[in-house]
Amino acid sequence: MSTSQTDFSEFKTIGLIAKAQHAGAQQTLQSLYDFLQQKGLTVIVDKRVASEIDAQKVVSNNLVGIGKSCDLAIVIGGDGYMLGAARVLSRFDIAVIGVNRGNLGFLTDLDPDDFEAPLSEVLSGKYLVEKRFLLEAQVHSHGHMKSRNTAVNEAVLHPDKIAHMIEFEVYVDDNFMLNQRADGLIISTPTGSTAYSLSGGGPILTPNLDAISLLPMFPHALNSRPIVIDANSTVRLKIAESNNSEMQISCDSHVNLSVLPGDEVLITKTAHQLKLVHPKNYNYFHVLQNKLGWGNKFF
């Protein structure tokens, strides 16, 4: 979880991952490919976009193959695209850095129009390393797990299709915490604290914290408030039988797991972590100032 400022070894085998059929991402993909080739590095391109490279004999592989064979993955796109790649790449010992071709870009450090100098520093072993943990969501029915998936940002319990109030109990490490009637619940990592949770009024958690936040969505109680707990806790949601419709657990807004009345949902921290690398001048508070429009110092 901590950010280390020690110089590391150089990267030799680079994976390029980009959003398909996106004009800006395609342009950056080509520029990065040419840049890395000129440096004499081994480059493996995500097979979904390999055909967009204007070059002969492009070596390609899927995300799992890139995770197994590369030292560094460069992801071209916005935070949403980075999340999808990160859920796969976090299972492997591979460093990840992003080139922002989206909107906010909390997870993508490099400017697509000015990546050469900072990326050269990173490739030469001068970079910061930051480990980000993920969450695993499991849905259990009658004592048996029926589905599971991982989330970099958040796992969200919410109604399926039509927004309405649902009822569930929240347990932390098998200790009853509260009975909740709300539109849902957002369980967020520090990485996700500047995403969906932030828009709902949740706290910002700095990435070095080993903690998760629980944020009720439009609770039917004035005393219902966000809470931050140890990330090593197990969060259990017991879905009331009185709910009269299907619900879902959404992982990073990408994957939905079906939840029925009477089911239980377990949320735990994954054993594997996403290994992000940043240029040497990276500062998390500078990111917040830039992305959230926080003002300059008064003196």
Side-chain angles (χ1 to χ4, degrees), residues 135 137 151 153-157 185-188 249-252 267:
L135 296 176
N153 272 354
E154 72 277 310
V156 183
L157 173 68
L185 182 72
I186 303 172
I187 302 100
S188 173
I249 284 286
S250 174
C251 298
D252 292 338
I267 308 292

Side-chain angles (χ1 to χ4, degrees), residues 13 125 224-225 246 252-253:
T13 306
S224 186
R225 292 291 182 266
E246 185 175 341
D252 292 338
S253 301

Side-chain angles (χ1 to χ4, degrees), residues 99-117:
V99 180
N100 186 23
R101 273 297 183 181
N103 295 316
L104 282 176
F106 276 99
L107 292 174
T108 49
D109 292 341
L110 300 177
D111 186 333
D113 299 319
D114 188 24
F115 64 80
E116 289 89 350

Side-chain angles (χ1 to χ4, degrees), residues 267-288:
I267 308 292
T268 57
K269 184 175 75 171
T270 60
H272 55 269
Q273 296 180 322
L274 174 64
K275 181 181 177 182
L276 286 179
V277 296
H278 305 288
K280 277 280 193 174
N281 63 352
Y282 172 84
N283 182 297
Y284 182 70
F285 295 108
H286 291 169
V287 175
L288 294 181

Side-chain angles (χ1 to χ4, degrees), residues 70-91:
C70 293
D71 307 314
L72 173 71
I74 303 175
V75 182
I76 306 162
D79 283 345
Y81 196 74
M82 170 68 95
L83 292 175
R87 284 197 300 274
V88 177
L89 297 176
S90 63
R91 305 200 303 264

Side-chain angles (χ1 to χ4, degrees), residues 212-270:
I212 57 177
S213 66
L214 278 62
L215 175 66
M217 300 166 61
F218 302 102
H220 193 62
L222 294 178
N223 61 352
S224 186
R225 292 291 182 266
I227 184 170
V228 177
I229 64 174
D230 191 315
N232 296 296
S233 303
T234 296
V235 177
R236 179 162 60 96
L237 309 179
K238 187 175 180 179
I239 312 303
E241 296 274 5
S242 58
N243 293 293
N244 56 14
S245 64
E246 185 175 341
M247 290 145 280
Q248 291 183 342
I249 284 286
S250 174
C251 298
D252 292 338
S253 301
H254 283 203
V255 181
N256 292 322
L257 310 177
S258 175
V259 179
L260 297 175
D263 284 352
E264 290 192 348
V265 179
L266 298 181
I267 308 292
T268 57
K269 184 175 75 171
T270 60

